[in-house]
Short mmCIF file of all heavy atoms in Angstrom, two decimals:
data_model
loop_
_atom_site.label_atom_id
_atom_site.label_comp_id
_atom_site.label_asym_id
_atom_site.label_seq_id
_atom_site.Cartn_x
_atom_site.Cartn_y
_atom_site.Cartn_z
N GLN A 268 -43.28 25.41 20.27
CA GLN A 268 -42.02 24.79 20.72
C GLN A 268 -41.80 25.02 22.20
O GLN A 268 -41.75 26.18 22.64
CB GLN A 268 -40.84 25.38 19.96
CG GLN A 268 -40.76 24.95 18.50
CD GLN A 268 -39.48 25.44 17.87
OE1 GLN A 268 -39.11 26.59 18.04
NE2 GLN A 268 -38.79 24.57 17.15
N TYR A 269 -41.66 23.96 22.92
CA TYR A 269 -41.41 24.05 24.36
C TYR A 269 -40.14 23.28 24.68
O TYR A 269 -40.00 22.12 24.31
CB TYR A 269 -42.60 23.44 25.12
CG TYR A 269 -43.85 24.26 25.02
CD1 TYR A 269 -44.64 24.23 23.87
CD2 TYR A 269 -44.24 25.09 26.07
CE1 TYR A 269 -45.78 24.99 23.76
CE2 TYR A 269 -45.39 25.86 25.97
CZ TYR A 269 -46.15 25.81 24.82
OH TYR A 269 -47.28 26.57 24.72
N LYS A 270 -39.23 23.97 25.38
CA LYS A 270 -37.97 23.33 25.74
C LYS A 270 -38.06 22.81 27.17
O LYS A 270 -38.51 23.54 28.06
CB LYS A 270 -36.86 24.38 25.68
CG LYS A 270 -35.62 23.91 24.96
CD LYS A 270 -34.54 24.96 25.06
CE LYS A 270 -34.01 25.37 23.72
NZ LYS A 270 -32.93 26.33 23.81
N VAL A 271 -37.67 21.57 27.35
CA VAL A 271 -37.65 21.01 28.70
C VAL A 271 -36.18 20.81 29.07
O VAL A 271 -35.42 20.25 28.30
CB VAL A 271 -38.39 19.65 28.72
CG1 VAL A 271 -38.38 19.05 30.11
CG2 VAL A 271 -39.81 19.81 28.20
N PRO A 272 -35.74 21.32 30.22
CA PRO A 272 -34.31 21.15 30.55
C PRO A 272 -33.95 19.69 30.77
O PRO A 272 -34.47 19.04 31.68
CB PRO A 272 -34.11 21.96 31.84
CG PRO A 272 -35.42 22.54 32.20
CD PRO A 272 -36.47 22.07 31.24
N ALA A 273 -33.04 19.19 29.92
CA ALA A 273 -32.61 17.80 30.04
C ALA A 273 -31.97 17.56 31.41
O ALA A 273 -32.09 16.48 31.99
CB ALA A 273 -31.63 17.47 28.92
N GLY A 274 -31.30 18.60 31.96
CA GLY A 274 -30.68 18.46 33.28
C GLY A 274 -31.71 18.11 34.34
O GLY A 274 -31.46 17.29 35.24
N TRP A 275 -32.88 18.69 34.21
CA TRP A 275 -33.96 18.41 35.17
C TRP A 275 -34.44 16.97 35.01
O TRP A 275 -34.59 16.23 35.99
CB TRP A 275 -35.11 19.40 34.95
CG TRP A 275 -36.22 19.27 35.96
CD1 TRP A 275 -36.29 19.83 37.19
CD2 TRP A 275 -37.41 18.48 35.80
NE1 TRP A 275 -37.45 19.45 37.83
CE2 TRP A 275 -38.16 18.62 36.99
CE3 TRP A 275 -37.92 17.67 34.78
CZ2 TRP A 275 -39.39 17.99 37.19
CZ3 TRP A 275 -39.15 17.03 34.98
CH2 TRP A 275 -39.86 17.19 36.16
N LEU A 276 -34.67 16.56 33.75
CA LEU A 276 -35.15 15.19 33.48
C LEU A 276 -34.16 14.17 34.05
O LEU A 276 -34.54 13.19 34.68
CB LEU A 276 -35.30 14.97 31.97
CG LEU A 276 -36.33 15.82 31.23
CD1 LEU A 276 -36.19 15.64 29.72
CD2 LEU A 276 -37.75 15.46 31.66
N ILE A 277 -32.87 14.43 33.81
CA ILE A 277 -31.83 13.47 34.23
C ILE A 277 -31.74 13.43 35.76
O ILE A 277 -31.63 12.36 36.36
CB ILE A 277 -30.47 13.84 33.59
CG1 ILE A 277 -30.57 13.77 32.06
CG2 ILE A 277 -29.35 12.94 34.09
CD1 ILE A 277 -29.40 14.40 31.30
N GLU A 278 -31.84 14.61 36.35
CA GLU A 278 -31.80 14.66 37.82
C GLU A 278 -32.99 13.90 38.41
O GLU A 278 -32.83 13.11 39.35
CB GLU A 278 -31.82 16.12 38.30
CG GLU A 278 -31.80 16.21 39.82
CD GLU A 278 -31.64 17.62 40.36
OE1 GLU A 278 -31.40 18.56 39.59
OE2 GLU A 278 -31.77 17.76 41.59
N GLN A 279 -34.17 14.11 37.84
CA GLN A 279 -35.37 13.42 38.34
C GLN A 279 -35.22 11.90 38.23
O GLN A 279 -35.79 11.16 39.01
CB GLN A 279 -36.63 13.85 37.58
CG GLN A 279 -36.97 15.33 37.72
CD GLN A 279 -37.12 15.78 39.14
OE1 GLN A 279 -37.89 15.21 39.90
NE2 GLN A 279 -36.35 16.78 39.55
N CYS A 280 -34.47 11.46 37.23
CA CYS A 280 -34.27 10.02 37.05
C CYS A 280 -33.20 9.47 38.00
O CYS A 280 -32.84 8.30 37.93
CB CYS A 280 -33.90 9.71 35.60
SG CYS A 280 -35.28 9.92 34.48
N GLY A 281 -32.66 10.34 38.83
CA GLY A 281 -31.76 9.89 39.89
C GLY A 281 -30.29 9.81 39.52
O GLY A 281 -29.49 9.23 40.26
N PHE A 282 -29.90 10.40 38.42
CA PHE A 282 -28.50 10.25 37.97
C PHE A 282 -27.54 11.30 38.51
O PHE A 282 -26.33 11.14 38.41
CB PHE A 282 -28.43 10.29 36.44
CG PHE A 282 -28.93 9.04 35.76
CD1 PHE A 282 -30.14 9.03 35.09
CD2 PHE A 282 -28.17 7.88 35.80
CE1 PHE A 282 -30.60 7.89 34.46
CE2 PHE A 282 -28.62 6.73 35.17
CZ PHE A 282 -29.84 6.73 34.50
N LYS A 283 -28.06 12.41 39.00
CA LYS A 283 -27.16 13.52 39.38
C LYS A 283 -26.13 13.04 40.40
O LYS A 283 -26.50 12.46 41.43
CB LYS A 283 -27.99 14.67 39.94
CG LYS A 283 -27.26 15.98 40.01
CD LYS A 283 -28.23 17.09 40.30
CE LYS A 283 -27.57 18.43 40.35
NZ LYS A 283 -28.56 19.51 40.44
N GLY A 284 -24.87 13.29 40.12
CA GLY A 284 -23.80 12.92 41.06
C GLY A 284 -23.45 11.43 41.05
O GLY A 284 -22.54 11.00 41.75
N LYS A 285 -24.15 10.62 40.25
CA LYS A 285 -23.88 9.18 40.23
C LYS A 285 -22.58 8.88 39.50
O LYS A 285 -22.16 9.62 38.62
CB LYS A 285 -25.03 8.44 39.53
CG LYS A 285 -26.24 8.22 40.42
CD LYS A 285 -26.10 6.94 41.21
CE LYS A 285 -27.15 6.82 42.31
NZ LYS A 285 -28.51 6.65 41.79
N ARG A 286 -21.99 7.76 39.88
CA ARG A 286 -20.71 7.38 39.29
C ARG A 286 -20.71 5.89 38.97
O ARG A 286 -21.16 5.08 39.80
CB ARG A 286 -19.62 7.71 40.32
CG ARG A 286 -18.25 7.53 39.83
CD ARG A 286 -17.26 8.08 40.84
NE ARG A 286 -15.95 7.61 40.44
CZ ARG A 286 -14.82 8.07 40.89
NH1 ARG A 286 -14.82 9.02 41.81
NH2 ARG A 286 -13.67 7.58 40.47
N TYR A 287 -20.28 5.53 37.78
CA TYR A 287 -20.20 4.13 37.38
C TYR A 287 -18.74 3.93 36.98
O TYR A 287 -18.35 4.32 35.87
CB TYR A 287 -21.13 3.84 36.21
CG TYR A 287 -22.58 4.19 36.53
CD1 TYR A 287 -23.03 5.50 36.40
CD2 TYR A 287 -23.47 3.21 36.97
CE1 TYR A 287 -24.35 5.83 36.71
CE2 TYR A 287 -24.78 3.53 37.29
CZ TYR A 287 -25.21 4.84 37.15
OH TYR A 287 -26.50 5.17 37.47
N GLY A 288 -17.93 3.39 37.86
CA GLY A 288 -16.49 3.36 37.60
C GLY A 288 -16.01 4.80 37.54
O GLY A 288 -16.36 5.62 38.41
N ASP A 289 -15.30 5.16 36.49
CA ASP A 289 -14.82 6.54 36.37
C ASP A 289 -15.72 7.41 35.50
O ASP A 289 -15.42 8.58 35.27
CB ASP A 289 -13.38 6.54 35.82
CG ASP A 289 -12.35 6.47 36.95
OD1 ASP A 289 -12.78 6.49 38.14
OD2 ASP A 289 -11.14 6.40 36.66
#
Side-chain angles (χ1 to χ4, degrees):
Q268 288 187 314
Y269 290 78
K270 226 185 234 183
V271 181
W275 185 85
L276 297 170
I277 298 168
E278 179 173 352
Q279 298 304 306
C280 289
F282 286 107
K283 196 168 181 172
K285 280 273 169 67
R286 187 172 168 166
Y287 302 83
D289 270 356

